[in-house]
Amino acid sequence: MAYDSENIFAKILRGEIPCTKVYEDDHALAFEDINPQAPIHVLVIPKAAYVSMDDFTSTASDAEIANFFQAVGNTARQLELAEPGYRILANIGDDGMQEVPHLHVHIFGGKKLGPMLTRD
Ligand code: 5GP
């Protein structure tokens, strides 16, 4: 799938849509999810244009991949989630029910999160 530069997270990165920023470095931005599914629900995105985790891990450099996962860990530590624990999740494609076609990792925390998946 080609990257759509009009997706909502691309607009956030360009400053065209506001976000509540949690963490930022040269390569990544983390901000609160607009529709939180847990007391803490933050999205971490690379600043470069990648559609999904599949796109990212098949085309990004080793350094970009390392930087991005460091940003996820840095964000969680900044949120003081390392000790109580937290969950990360990335939806990919149709079956993963990915809504926004710019790679993002969800960070959930702030309570016991329960089972990983609901039953059908
Ligand atoms: P996905 O289903 O693609 O993994 O997750 C997309 C996430 O983006 C959802 O949790 C949704 O609430 C969040 N989201 C969608 N639009 C916006 C927005 O404009 N701002 C923010 N902060 N989050 C958004």
Side-chain angles (χ1 to χ4, degrees):
M1 185 204 255
Y3 184 80
D4 172 11
S5 59
E6 293 307 306
N7 79 76
I8 203 102
F9 294 168
K11 291 181 180 179
I12 286 175
L13 282 168
R14 292 196 295 266
E16 295 167 13
I17 290 177
C19 71
T20 303
K21 193 188 298 182
V22 171
Y23 171 89
E24 183 170 18
D25 63 26
D26 289 348
H27 309 285
L29 175 70
F31 52 91
E32 292 179 358
D33 195 291
I34 205 168
N35 182 24
Q37 305 296 310
I40 296 171
H41 184 176
V42 165
L43 303 169
V44 189
I45 67 174
K47 289 185 173 177
Y50 293 102
V51 174
S52 68
M53 188 64 81
D54 179 65
D55 181 21
F56 189 58
T57 55
S58 58
T59 61
S61 69
D62 290 353
E64 284 179 289
I65 292 170
N67 288 337
F68 182 63
F69 280 96
Q70 281 161 356
V72 174
N74 289 341
T75 302
R77 282 186 290 278
Q78 187 164 305
L79 291 163
E80 300 186 336
L81 288 174
E83 180 58 34
Y86 61 98
R87 179 173 293 161
I88 62 173
L89 177 147
N91 294 318
I92 297 128
D94 282 350
D95 278 4
M97 301 193 62
Q98 180 178 359
E99 291 172 17
V100 179
H102 181 113
L103 168 61
H104 49 286
V105 166
H106 297 254
I107 296 178
F108 300 103
K111 70 168 188 177
K112 290 240 183 277
L113 292 163
M116 198 162 57
L117 295 173
T118 54
R119 293 178 190 278
D120 287 334

